[in-house]
Amino acid sequence: MRLPIASGMATGAVAIALYPLFQGGDWFWASLGAVLVVAGIGTAAGYYALPGWLVTPVQVFATWIYLTATFAGDEAWGRVVPTADSVVELTRLLTRGFADIQRFAAPVPDSTGIVLLTCGGVGVIAIAVDLLAARLHRAALAGLPLLALFTVPAAVVAEPIGWPAFIVGAAGYLGLLVADGRERVTHWGRAVLVRRTSAATTARPASSDAGPLRLSGKRIGFTAVALAILLPALLPTLEPSPLFAFGVGNGRGGGNSVSIPNPIVNLRGQLSLPENSTVLTYRVSDGDSRYLRMYSLDVFDGEQWTMSEPKGRPEDRTSEAAMPPPPGQNPSLSVTSATLDVAVSDQVRRLSFLPLPYPAARVTAAGDWRPDRDTLMVFSTRDTAEGLSYRVITAEPRSTAERLRAAGPPSAAIGERYLALPENLPGEIRQLATRVTERGASPYEQAIQLQKFFTEDGGFTYDLSTQGHDGPALTDFLIRNRTGYCEQFAASMAVLARVLGIPSRVAIGYTGGGRVAGAWQVRTHDSHAWPELYFEGTGWLRFEPTPAGGAGQGSATVPEYTRPQAAPTASAAPSAAPSAEAGDSTTGPGGTAANRRDRMLERDLGGLPIAPEEGVPTAAKIGIGVAVALLVMLIPGLIRWQLRLRRRRAYSRPVPASGPVPASGGEGPVGTPGPRPAGIASPDGRRREPAVVAAWAELDDALCDYGMAREPSESPRSLARRLAKQYAFDPEATAALARIAAAVERMLYARSGGEVGTLREDLSRVRRALAATVTRGRRIRAVLLPPSTLLRMRAMGGRVLDGFDLLENIRLRRPARKGA
């Protein structure tokens, strides 16, 4: 009956690792109920000796009853017994749960369908673990379903699983293995010792002692868990988790297609990663930063934004031709040109789309990179951007506000593709679009009013904890809580723009980043989404509805052409330089960029001085890891040094005459060869002087550290004589050792201890004499890895592990029948 309980505990412990997937805790309590049902059936089966083949079907049926009572009780007979209606209800909830997990990004809300799906999955895992461990007696194989449960959050959530959850899960599996081992040992039976005598032959049964075997297993298990936690913390990270690429691309290799990513799903994971790693750096000829776009999402189906499959023609390779002309941009429109030299980090993985400013006129990059003519996304089916350096020449449109206000209707092709909305779009969203904009205003003016609604008038709040980009989440964001991050802001403004007849799409990429040593550095926390709106004759322009600064996406910037006080020029440059303020004597592109950055820092950080985050180089990480490892190795030596200092303070004081008082405890190393000072007890209750006890304990530890055994039967005087003779002490060391031994014996046996004086000089002389008899390596080990301290740590670990035996020794016994 031990194994079903251990199986349930292991499943519950591993299920804790699912916590990053959910916003609430309803899933855990429901799943815990399913685990208890399975474990309870398994325990009862052992209690009443049910056939093993019958247990698993009973567990499946009991789990069905539990799910029915919990999630479809209103449709069940007596809220427990399944009916046809309850089966239909469970099926409906499961279908909705599957749909919800496709629509929401982790952590997902505790909807009934998702909780049912999770609870049922954990129940199935619990049944599988019980079958393998308790029925088939293959506890090691039970780790496979537990591993499957454990890898779910690792595969879904970008952040690593917390070490407390890992420890709990590993401890649950180790407990299952220990329970299985104890079960097997009990089946060995009892050993029979036969002793033949002249009179008769007697047999004496003796229980087999599995204690050392069990303790060794525990030590191996706990050591493995400790190493799994400590080693990753000590070793440097040579390459990051998939932080940068949103999982796009099909790596290096053949093929004529590129994997279509769903970047908006993973956007929050980029923003909430604990490590703000460098993605790329770039230098720009005019000194201004640029938003760098990778993906253009043009399809909104009412559930989510996705992008059409890009198409790259062989004749459009960036190595052979310039970029195609920007869609909708009049060739006679004046443009601003700048040159960017971009260097992608060599730690980026699986990035098949190049981060580029929009629009780019020329891209020079090694490899087979091709632009999509409709969106100007540049991608490759064969190459990735890992460690790639490339040059980009921009052609950013400049148009007056009057020209934007007078922009004509979009072409039929643009309207058909970028104005499409689902028929079931909620009417309240359509009403909101018209309510926050002025009737009769131009599309350009309405676009500015929409941006102002998100950034100023609408009462929106930036928060990474908000989830979802589907229809219901969009309605909740726009109408109810108005709390979200760049995903919701960009998607919402693009939808409202289409309602107003303005072609729109959602761009995914990076903001301009921060300036470091003359270059712009883009990090994972600069991942961003923004809407792009189309104006005939000018083309696509970026807008910024997401709050910027400390209360929003820190490196986001509002384009100058969308500000009410903007000059009558419009540019697609993401960070066009503002006009110089009054009293500003700095002119030119470099000066205005510096002034703009100063104002951004003052706005976002209240004028506080900041230092750019440089990150930790790999060499420094290796050095830090080695230093931490050395510090861990020095812990025993530091403990020994601290204990020696504490004892020295005690035996440096003169020893006064002692009278008969009750005995007190002492100290000494656990596991040393001879009796410990803590075990010295005065037969007549005489006082144990702390100074003498400290000196004797220090001598005992010194003998242990230098590898000199002390026989259990040796008295202090006989020990002193043997050491002096065996190691040929000089007369001074011999006399000092004799005085220490005499002080100990007087404390233990004499009527009065007498005044001894300080023992510090005597003990120091004896230590030097002992050290002179051993090798240099032994002396170094005595300082860095003292055996006396290691023995204490080993004994302490043994006592901690033995504490788990209290749980293992719990046995459930059937009550004796009356009259038996």
Side-chain angles (χ1 to χ4, degrees), residues 30 65-73 79:
I65 297 294
Y66 170 75
L67 295 178
T68 300
T70 303
F71 298 97
R79 299 192 62 84

Side-chain angles (χ1 to χ4, degrees), residues 187-212:
H187 293 165
W188 291 352
R190 295 177 177 271
V192 179
L193 302 180
V194 179
R195 179 178 300 170
R196 298 187 179 275
T197 62
S198 58
T201 300
T202 61
R204 179 173 59 87
S207 60
S208 59
D209 183 14

Side-chain angles (χ1 to χ4, degrees), residues 364 371 406 551 612 662 773:
T364 304
T773 62

Side-chain angles (χ1 to χ4, degrees), residues 495-754:
V495 170
L496 295 182
R498 290 193 177 187
V499 171
L500 297 172
I502 307 174
S504 63
R505 62 191 184 189
V506 174
I508 304 290
Y510 299 96
T511 63
R515 188 150 195 174
V516 178
W520 293 94
Q521 190 174 65
V522 177
R523 298 176 177 271
T524 51
H525 289 183
D526 295 318
S527 301
H528 194 47
W530 63 91
E532 291 180 336
L533 275 57
Y534 179 86
F535 300 94
E536 189 66 32
T538 302
W540 293 96
L541 294 179
R542 175 181 71 90
F543 285 76
E544 186 54 89
T546 304
Q553 168 71 315
S555 52
T557 57
V558 176
E560 286 296 319
Y561 52 80
T562 65
R563 300 177 186 271
Q565 69 275 18
T569 59
S571 172
S575 303
S579 58
E581 297 177 354
D584 187 359
S585 59
T586 307
T587 59
T592 54
N595 297 333
R596 178 179 60 81
R597 290 191 299 273
D598 292 341
R599 290 194 295 274
M600 287 174 56
L601 293 177
E602 183 177 0
R603 177 199 66 193
D604 297 346
L605 302 175
L608 295 177
I610 63 171
E613 182 182 356
E614 296 289 351
V616 182
T618 300
K621 291 182 179 179
I622 296 176
I624 293 173
V626 172
V628 173
L630 291 177
L631 290 177
V632 172
M633 294 177 60
L634 291 177
I635 288 178
L638 295 175
I639 295 175
R640 177 73 177 92
W641 176 72
Q642 188 273 339
L643 180 60
R644 184 178 176 184
L645 289 181
R646 180 163 59 86
R647 289 171 175 169
R648 180 180 297 176
R649 288 194 295 268
Y651 62 68
S652 296
R653 296 189 293 268
V655 181
S658 58
V661 296
S664 61
E667 60 175 319
V670 179
T672 49
R676 301 188 301 271
I680 299 177
S682 175
D684 57 357
R686 188 170 307 281
R687 173 185 177 87
R688 297 181 61 193
E689 176 57 45
V692 179
V693 173
W696 185 246
E698 181 61 28
L699 176 61
D700 198 58
D701 276 1
L703 293 175
C704 181
D705 293 339
Y706 293 138
M708 302 174 182
R710 179 162 63 87
E711 299 298 332
S713 60
E714 280 185 315
S715 65
R717 185 178 303 179
S718 61
L719 174 65
R721 287 199 300 266
R722 181 177 64 83
L723 291 177
K725 180 179 180 180
Q726 181 177 353
Y727 298 106
F729 286 178
D730 57 48
E732 293 182 354
T734 302
L737 183 57
R739 284 192 293 271
I740 296 174
V744 174
E745 290 188 341
R746 284 197 301 271
M747 178 188 67
L748 294 177
Y749 307 112
R751 182 177 299 275
S752 175

Side-chain angles (χ1 to χ4, degrees), residues 214-260:
R214 185 171 62 254
L215 184 60
S216 298
K218 291 178 189 175
R219 286 172 178 164
I220 293 173
F222 279 86
T223 301
V225 173
L227 291 177
I229 296 171
L230 294 178
L231 285 182
L234 299 178
L235 297 178
T237 302
L238 298 182
E239 69 177 48
S241 300
L243 307 181
F244 311 125
F246 296 106
V248 304
N250 56 357
R252 301 182 185 275
N256 296 319
S257 62
V258 62
S259 299
I260 301 300

Side-chain angles (χ1 to χ4, degrees), residues 314-670:
E315 61 270 21
D316 288 339
R317 289 189 181 97
T318 59
S319 59
E320 300 177 2
M323 293 283 288
Q329 184 172 314
N330 193 319
S332 62
L333 185 67
S334 62
V335 297
T336 299
S337 179
T339 302
L340 283 78
D341 291 309
V342 185
V344 181
S345 171
D346 57 5
Q347 294 181 337
V348 172
R349 297 292 183 267
R350 299 181 294 126
L351 183 58
S352 299
F353 287 72
L354 291 183
L356 299 171
Y358 184 87
R362 181 85 193 195
V363 177
T364 304
D368 184 6
W369 297 93
R370 306 180 186 185
D372 176 70
R373 283 181 171 265
D374 294 333
T375 62
L376 299 190
M377 293 185 298
V378 174
F379 64 95
S380 176
T381 61
R382 301 178 181 274
D383 300 282
T384 61
E386 174 185 348
L388 181 67
S389 296
Y390 54 95
R391 171 167 289 185
V392 185
I393 300 177
T394 66
E396 301 154 353
R398 302 179 62 186
S399 180
T400 62
E402 289 75 12
R403 184 167 185 171
L404 290 173
R405 292 189 183 97
S411 64
I414 292 292
E416 181 181 359
R417 179 174 180 178
Y418 295 103
L419 288 176
L421 287 171
E423 295 181 357
N424 61 348
L425 185 70
E428 48 192 347
I429 292 182
R430 297 181 183 273
Q431 296 171 6
L432 177 66
T434 58
R435 189 170 64 249
V436 300
T437 57
E438 296 180 4
R439 181 176 301 180
S442 67
Y444 171 68
E445 293 169 336
Q446 289 180 324
I448 294 178
Q449 292 165 5
L450 284 179
Q451 177 176 279
K452 185 179 179 184
F453 167 67
F454 286 103
T455 57
E456 299 180 17
D457 302 336
F460 287 88
T461 304
Y462 183 88
D463 190 349
L464 281 175
S465 62
T466 306
Q467 296 302 314
H469 49 270
D470 62 344
L474 189 66
T475 303
D476 187 64
F477 171 72
L478 281 172
I479 306 301
R480 299 178 183 88
N481 58 31
R482 296 192 174 180
T483 299
Y485 59 104
C486 58
E487 172 192 328
Q488 284 89 2
F489 285 96
S492 299
M493 182 171 175
V495 170
L496 295 182
R498 290 193 177 187
V499 171
L500 297 172
I502 307 174
S504 63
R505 62 191 184 189
V506 174
I508 304 290
Y510 299 96
T511 63
R515 188 150 195 174
V516 178
W520 293 94
Q521 190 174 65
V522 177
R523 298 176 177 271
T524 51
H525 289 183
D526 295 318
S527 301
H528 194 47
W530 63 91
E532 291 180 336
L533 275 57
Y534 179 86
F535 300 94
E536 189 66 32
T538 302
W540 293 96
L541 294 179
R542 175 181 71 90
F543 285 76
E544 186 54 89
T546 304
Q553 168 71 315
S555 52
T557 57
V558 176
E560 286 296 319
Y561 52 80
T562 65
R563 300 177 186 271
Q565 69 275 18
T569 59
S571 172
S575 303
S579 58
E581 297 177 354
D584 187 359
S585 59
T586 307
T587 59
T592 54
N595 297 333
R596 178 179 60 81
R597 290 191 299 273
D598 292 341
R599 290 194 295 274
M600 287 174 56
L601 293 177
E602 183 177 0
R603 177 199 66 193
D604 297 346
L605 302 175
L608 295 177
I610 63 171
E613 182 182 356
E614 296 289 351
V616 182
T618 300
K621 291 182 179 179
I622 296 176
I624 293 173
V626 172
V628 173
L630 291 177
L631 290 177
V632 172
M633 294 177 60
L634 291 177
I635 288 178
L638 295 175
I639 295 175
R640 177 73 177 92
W641 176 72
Q642 188 273 339
L643 180 60
R644 184 178 176 184
L645 289 181
R646 180 163 59 86
R647 289 171 175 169
R648 180 180 297 176
R649 288 194 295 268
Y651 62 68
S652 296
R653 296 189 293 268
V655 181
S658 58
V661 296
S664 61
E667 60 175 319
V670 179

